[in-house]
């Protein structure tokens, strides 16, 4: 796929910005709060869709982090249960145009299928792809324990707060955004169960000191991908 000059610059420059963006000592909780305080309620249809593309790349790194955790702790029954709820699962089915009743997919595949329900301009798609690939380059540079331990920060309230913030967006028209909303609402339900919720299944993993860098990389990717979220 050809990447235009603007997207190429994003690929070259963004990893350095992400790597150096988080002030020393900034907590995951603070970064989550900053993401939640973004201007979600001001977004239009296209901007919400752009945020969904950025989240798609987050969902890839989440799945990769879970795979790493399973390799590091192969006998951990709680992580095994979490794995069953995130990969090769039917817990988001059915969803029109995305998955049939009982169909099993990884959650990042669910996101990709959702996004493919709406065509976007190729240059816009290349720009979002460049930002997403730069984000993944940053997350993949982190050590394995940081990536594995990020699961508890994500699942024990962090993502639930972010998902509720995203749902402040005012419009969810069209099949792609309807599927995205289905994904967000479904995940809030999956995460919030006090006994079998995804947060309870990984809370024993203590987030490493570098986990805030992963949150900050996501924050920066959102700001790059959807400038309206942080515009004054």
């Amino acid at each position: 796929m050809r990447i235009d000059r603007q997207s190429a610059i994003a690929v070259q420059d963004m990893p350095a910005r992400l790597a150096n963006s988080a002030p020393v000592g900034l907590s995951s909780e603070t970064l989550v709060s900053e993401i939640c305080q973004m201007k979600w309620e001001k977004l239009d249809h296209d901007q919400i869709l752009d945020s969904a593309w950025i989240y798609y790349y987050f969902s890839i790194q989440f799945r990769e982090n879970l795979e790493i955790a399973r390799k590091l702790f192969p006998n951990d029954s709680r992580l095994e249960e979490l794995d069953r709820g995130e990969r090769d699962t039917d817990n988001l089915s059915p969803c029109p145009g995305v998955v049939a009743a009982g169909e099993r997919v990884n959650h990042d595949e669910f996101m990709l299928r959702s996004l493919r329900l709406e065509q976007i301009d190729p240059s816009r798609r290349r720009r979002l792809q460049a930002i997403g690939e730069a984000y993944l380059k940053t997350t993949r540079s982190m050590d394995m324990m940081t990536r594995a331990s990020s699961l508890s920060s994500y699942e024990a309230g962090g993502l639930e707060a972010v998902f509720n913030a995203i749902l402040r967006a005012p419009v969810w028209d069209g099949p792609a955004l309807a599927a995205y909303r289905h994904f967000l609402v479904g995940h809030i339900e999956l995460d919030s169960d006090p006994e079998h919720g995804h947060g309870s299944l990984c809370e024993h993993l203590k987030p490493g000191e570098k986990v805030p860098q992963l949150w900050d990389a996501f924050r920066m990717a959102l700001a790059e991908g959807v400038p309206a979220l942080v515009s004054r």
Side-chain angles (χ1 to χ4, degrees), residues 150-168:
S150 70
L151 296 175
S152 58
S153 181
Y154 291 153
E155 294 286 57
L159 282 178
E160 183 178 353
V162 169
F163 292 159
N164 275 302
I166 297 172
L167 288 169
R168 298 202 312 265

Side-chain angles (χ1 to χ4, degrees), residues 84-86 89-93 103 105 107 182 186-187 190 198:
R84 289 196 298 268
E86 294 286 347
T89 178
D90 64 353
N91 57 14
L92 291 178
S93 73
E103 184 178 0
V105 295
H107 283 172
H182 175 88
H187 270 74
L190 291 171
H198 289 186

